[in-house]
Amino acid sequence: MVQKKSHVTPCWRIMQGVLKKRVPGNRRMRRIAACLVLTLGLAPQAGLLAPRAVFAAPGGVDGLHAVPVQPVLHDGLNPQEGDASHASLFLPFDAQTGVAAFWSRPDFVVVADRPVLALAHASGGSGLFSSLDVTVLDTATLIRLHLPSHPQLSLSHQSDGWVLQGDTSARSGSSSGVTSHVAQVFRPGAVLFPQKQPGRIIALPDPASGGRLLIAPSRVASGGIAQGRHGVGYGVRPSLEGVVIAADSRQITVRSTAEGAVLDAVALHPLPVGQAPDAAQTDPHGQDWDWLGLSHAGNSSKPSTRLAAAQAAFAAGQPWQALKSLEEASPQGEVATDEKTQTAQTFLQAAASLLTGRIWQAQALNGAQFGDAPATRVWRGLYLMQTGQNSQNASILLSAGFAQLQAYPAPVRALILPQVATYVVRFGDVAAVNLLGTLPDDTAYDLARALLEARAGQTETARVALENLTASSSIQTTAYARAALVALMLDKDMIALTMAAEAYGKLLDNDGQPAALPAGPKATIRLGQAHALTLAGQLQAALTVLDSVHAGPDAPQDVLAAAYQATLKALIFPEAALKAVTAPAANSAPLSAAARFALVASHLRFVGDGAGKAKLLLGYGRQLLEAVQPDAAATAFAQAAAMLADPVARAEAEDLVAQAGLQAHHPALVQRALERATAPAMPDDLATQRAYDAARLAAESGDTAKALTLLAQDETDAGLDLRGKLYESEKRWPEAVLVIGRLATRGLPEEGVLTEPQRALALRLATDAAAAGDSETLLRLKGWLAGRTLGRERDALLAMQIRSIKPHSPAH
């Protein structure tokens, strides 16, 4: 399509038109988050250890946001009593929940691929499974059982859930009670783990080592992996159920397909995974040419079969006609009788469906048969792009196969290459972009070239190019160019934050345009608007905009998740906002704590699991703790700990769980958290904090001696304060004077008016000294105060305490 370049509108005039109407600064939320009914429910639940005990399915939320309650059904199975060496634990996972189970050093771990609220309040009783600990995440449920002796375990699937059984009289072997196993099928460039009903892939750090685990659960009993094995960049872990991959290299990915879990490496120079590709090919170009019929492009002979007719249409750039040819039955009822023809038909139909927007019919491109083969791997990238999946994986696959696509016949290239080039330029890293080389000298690549110039820092050249494109005859190109122009000006500080947000709003209104705004540019504009609103401090409005964006080619899942993360980060850590906001927006009122908590709680699920989300959860949890919502804080801290790979960071998160548990008076939670709040080479401040929290737990449990032992080396204000309280509670006044005296030495200034806490501290020391008969301390304190008042009542008490003791009595 020829681009109109005869008339170029100056940048200032474009912006004048864009900003003609002002957009209200205070946008209403489209939905109000559910009230934070934040309970961790640590009261003991009855009988989980009893055979076939069932979790009650409580209503409400899991502490962060609403999670649908999973119904627990029964089929009339009778409880099976066992002896002291046997125990069973019922897990209420429905038929749509995938399950994986494996050992992580001293812990046995069960992972479900969805949040199961019925387990949030679980207790393991007092037997083998008494150490049961459950963390409900937004995307999964993590169950841990601390069983360092590794008893023999078995996991069986029932009609209403799964049953974990343990035998303490036997040690687990390599199979862990497995009676059937998941096979490993080596394919070119990949390894397939066949599963009848695969679940959703879960990525979590190994609870023991922090290593990256890629977990492929199963919805029905598969038996797991009997023996582990190692490949280049990964290891297959033994499992009781599901497939667990320890991914040592960031290249390693695992995806769920209809055939089962598939492991491969995604990189410009991928690690050798699976079988080496077969060098023998039917066509010199590759198997894709043979299946798509590209080798016969331009052949004037009449197609002899339905497949040949479809291939001819596809090669001519008519994928819709190719689908029609495949779907129309011939008079003879022609069907594919041989495997080669069936494979070609399957691939051709998937490729044509992808190019015609029938994404649901293109899933084979991401499957085990075509997704990893060298000749068809680029089509998997196209599938990832069109379905809005991870942009980094998609851009790597597309850039690595760009030269392959460039060799396609011109009609097919025209359908694919321009959007691929634009996508890689927008979302790919530098290495991926470099693989594109010099783009063809065609107007279809003008947008990609302008974006490349912007990436390269050629601001003025890019600005002029984008201005030219705003006059394009293509409605879609015009919309993309206008959005990119605002983004460029915002990035280079050529436009104010609020003005940029209003500009994006004007683009969404699409005033003065001859046709409706296409869906692709609309998503791009909304992402840009949310970014501008976040920078301007209009966070509620930014989240409202993001709520209207759906994952797709212009808003990949990881990009959308990153946008949510940036906005929530500014909401939780306002001091860490990307750009300083000098004053709130004119029409926006400050958010209350309850409103801020509700916004965070209702949007955290849109952020991808990982270290970034864990940081948000830690900040959010601290705010909840300060707001005296300890149960909700404990939930946030526990979720963060499950996502952190660094041992020290995990230990810090677990200690925060303990602090929340102490505030909520949940000693069992505190004890479990403190047991996990350890790490090699733990920093001194964290070790001191953990000892202090352990002392608080001991004190609340009535074990004063243990608490004092734990505090013996703690010279922090909090440690001295707690130690003093313990001495005071036991009327050990001389020791209390020594400890509170050290606290007062650093806390009471030599001159100046005393604050209320300082006055209370001074009277506390005087009271302890009077009880100890320590006149020297009382007189030193009196001299130190030098006539400064503690308040009328406290001054009277201090004078009374000084008069009550004999002068010069020995200090203790």
Side-chain angles (χ1 to χ4, degrees):
M1 184 174 292
V2 179
Q3 179 180 326
K4 295 180 180 179
K5 294 188 178 181
S6 58
H7 177 68
V8 178
T9 305
C11 179
W12 66 268
R13 185 167 295 174
I14 293 174
M15 296 309 303
Q16 187 179 45
V18 167
L19 303 176
K20 188 175 182 181
K21 295 181 181 179
R22 295 186 63 83
V23 178
N26 186 16
R27 299 178 182 271
R28 283 188 170 276
M29 289 175 58
R30 294 185 180 176
R31 61 175 184 259
I32 302 299
C35 176
L36 294 179
V37 184
L38 302 171
T39 57
L40 199 60
L42 291 169
Q45 301 292 311
L48 260 191
L49 190 57
R52 304 287 297 173
V54 179
F55 299 111
V61 296
D62 67 351
L64 292 180
H65 32 260
V67 177
V69 176
Q70 302 292 333
V72 181
L73 305 178
H74 302 278
D75 59 0
L77 294 177
N78 295 321
Q80 299 174 358
E81 299 296 338
D83 58 34
S85 63
H86 292 77
S88 65
L89 183 67
F90 177 69
L91 304 174
F93 300 141
D94 63 19
Q96 301 304 312
T97 302
V99 177
F102 57 96
W103 284 101
S104 176
R105 293 182 187 166
D107 290 347
F108 186 74
V109 181
V110 180
V111 176
D113 64 359
R114 63 177 58 194
V116 182
L117 184 58
L119 288 173
H121 307 277
S123 166
S126 58
L128 178 63
F129 300 130
S130 60
S131 62
L132 179 74
D133 184 70
V134 180
T135 304
V136 179
L137 305 173
D138 292 320
T139 57
T141 301
L142 178 64
I143 300 171
R144 283 179 287 185
L145 293 160
H146 189 65
L147 301 170
S149 62
H150 278 218
Q152 183 76 36
L153 299 177
S154 63
L155 188 65
S156 59
H157 189 207
Q158 307 295 335
S159 61
D160 57 348
W162 296 71
V163 176
L164 178 66
Q165 293 181 312
D167 182 359
T168 58
S169 63
R171 294 290 295 271
S172 64
S174 59
S175 65
S176 297
V178 174
T179 57
S180 60
H181 313 302
V182 175
Q184 301 182 47
V185 181
F186 293 88
R187 294 173 174 264
V191 180
L192 168 65
F193 300 89
Q195 294 173 302
K196 291 181 179 179
Q197 294 187 33
R200 190 174 54 82
I201 304 300
I202 300 296
L204 284 174
D206 185 344
S209 68
R212 177 170 167 251
L213 296 183
L214 302 176
I215 303 167
S218 175
R219 295 177 183 175
V220 296
S222 64
I225 301 292
Q227 297 289 342
R229 64 174 298 273
H230 289 281
V232 179
Y234 72 94
V236 183
R237 297 272 289 270
S239 62
L240 203 62
E241 186 58 61
V243 178
V244 181
I245 304 298
D248 303 322
S249 169
R250 301 302 300 182
Q251 292 188 16
I252 299 300
T253 68
V254 176
R255 68 184 188 278
S256 181
T257 71
E259 298 92 339
V262 176
L263 179 152
D264 74 336
V266 177
L268 297 179
H269 304 287
L271 296 171
V273 174
Q275 294 177 342
D278 188 357
Q281 296 181 5
T282 305
D283 191 281
H285 288 290
Q287 189 66 64
D288 54 330
W289 279 65
D290 201 28
W291 289 334
L292 297 175
L294 305 182
S295 301
H296 309 295
N299 191 338
S300 59
S301 60
K302 185 177 180 180
S304 57
T305 65
R306 181 178 53 161
L307 174 59
Q311 289 173 331
F314 187 91
Q318 300 174 358
W320 53 91
Q321 184 59 48
L323 286 177
K324 184 178 180 181
S325 297
L326 288 174
E327 293 167 356
E328 288 179 349
S330 65
Q332 294 79 21
E334 175 190 337
V335 294
T337 56
D338 62 281
E339 183 179 352
K340 180 179 179 181
T341 302
Q342 181 61 54
T343 300
Q345 286 188 184
T346 300
F347 182 74
L348 176 60
Q349 184 169 30
S353 297
L354 186 71
L355 298 186
T356 56
R358 297 163 68 169
I359 307 298
W360 65 94
Q361 294 183 342
Q363 294 181 4
L365 300 176
N366 194 43
Q369 185 174 14
F370 303 118
D372 304 285
T376 54
R377 194 170 166 88
V378 68
W379 282 91
R380 177 180 158 206
L382 289 168
Y383 179 84
L384 296 180
M385 178 182 77
Q386 292 296 344
T387 53
Q389 298 188 50
N390 186 278
S391 65
Q392 294 306 299
N393 289 347
S395 60
I396 288 172
L397 295 173
L398 291 172
S399 60
F402 195 73
Q404 176 185 345
L405 296 176
Q406 283 180 308
Y408 280 8
V412 182
R413 288 202 309 268
L415 294 175
I416 300 175
L417 274 185
Q419 59 179 323
V420 168
T422 303
Y423 181 92
V424 173
V425 170
R426 288 181 64 191
F427 303 116
D429 60 18
V430 174
V433 171
N434 289 340
L435 276 184
L436 299 181
T438 303
L439 296 178
D441 187 15
D442 187 286
T443 57
Y445 299 89
D446 284 346
L447 179 61
R449 266 191 292 270
L451 296 177
L452 267 176
E453 290 164 348
R455 281 190 63 147
Q458 302 173 21
T459 303
E460 184 60 20
T461 304
R463 183 189 64 78
V464 172
L466 290 172
E467 284 192 35
N468 288 338
L469 289 174
T470 61
S472 171
S473 58
S474 166
I475 300 298
Q476 185 153 300
T477 298
T478 296
Y480 279 127
R482 296 174 78 193
L485 187 58
V486 177
L488 178 66
M489 297 177 70
L490 177 60
D491 182 59
K492 301 303 179 182
D493 292 325
M494 299 165 63
I495 185 175
L497 299 177
T498 54
M499 187 176 292
E502 292 176 7
Y504 282 120
K506 187 65 177 177
L507 293 181
L508 287 172
D509 292 340
N510 205 36
D511 287 351
Q513 296 302 307
L517 185 65
K522 185 179 294 185
T524 300
I525 293 169
R526 283 175 172 160
L527 283 176
Q529 184 183 36
H531 176 60
L533 289 168
T534 297
L535 295 179
Q538 300 180 42
L539 306 178
Q540 185 173 0
L543 290 173
T544 301
V545 172
L546 290 175
D547 288 344
S548 65
V549 181
H550 302 286
D554 293 276
Q557 290 175 355
D558 57 319
V559 173
L560 183 55
Y564 273 111
Q565 181 174 324
T567 305
L568 290 175
K569 180 180 178 181
L571 192 61
I572 297 172
F573 308 103
E575 70 283 355
L578 297 179
K579 290 189 177 180
V581 181
T582 56
N587 297 325
S588 63
L591 290 171
S592 66
R596 188 172 67 252
F597 290 165
L599 281 174
V600 174
S602 61
H603 289 89
L604 273 169
R605 60 194 173 96
F606 298 117
V607 180
D609 291 346
K613 184 171 183 176
K615 182 177 180 179
L616 298 181
L617 286 164
L618 291 173
Y620 176 49
R622 286 188 173 97
Q623 291 179 351
L624 290 169
L625 205 56
E626 292 175 1
V628 196
Q629 297 186 36
D631 289 325
T635 299
F637 293 143
Q639 289 186 333
M643 298 178 195
L644 289 168
D646 179 69
V648 173
R650 281 209 313 274
E652 182 179 7
E654 292 288 3
D655 186 75
L656 287 170
V657 174
Q659 292 178 39
L662 285 165
Q663 190 178 114
H665 304 292
H666 294 320
L669 172 66
V670 178
Q671 185 61 46
R672 288 198 304 270
L674 289 175
E675 288 171 356
R676 290 199 293 263
T678 58
M682 182 182 292
D684 291 342
D685 57 344
L686 180 56
T688 299
Q689 180 65 51
R690 181 186 179 279
Y692 170 76
D693 293 331
R696 287 181 61 189
L697 177 62
E700 289 193 4
S701 303
D703 193 344
T704 302
K706 179 179 179 181
L708 288 171
T709 300
L710 289 167
L711 293 170
Q713 304 301 319
D714 190 341
E715 290 296 319
T716 66
D717 288 356
L720 292 173
D721 176 67
L722 178 57
R723 207 186 325 174
K725 288 178 180 177
L726 293 172
Y727 284 136
E728 290 163 351
S729 68
E730 294 198 332
K731 296 181 171 49
R732 295 166 62 176
W733 303 115
E735 291 97 327
V737 170
L738 291 174
V739 171
I740 302 304
R742 291 206 297 276
L743 194 60
T745 299
R746 69 176 67 157
L748 298 180
E750 189 172 357
E751 58 185 20
V753 178
L754 299 178
T755 64
E756 179 60 26
Q758 289 168 345
R759 292 175 180 180
L761 176 60
L763 184 62
R764 181 183 179 187
L765 176 58
T767 302
D768 290 349
D774 189 344
S775 61
E776 290 188 8
T777 296
L778 275 172
L779 293 174
R780 282 199 304 269
L781 177 61
K782 179 181 178 182
W784 185 265
L785 294 175
R788 288 176 291 177
T789 181
L790 302 182
R792 181 178 300 177
E793 293 184 3
R794 290 194 181 108
D795 286 343
L797 287 172
L798 178 60
M800 184 186 304
Q801 287 162 348
I802 293 176
R803 290 194 301 269
S804 68
I805 63 171
K806 296 178 180 179
H808 307 295
S809 61
H812 297 280

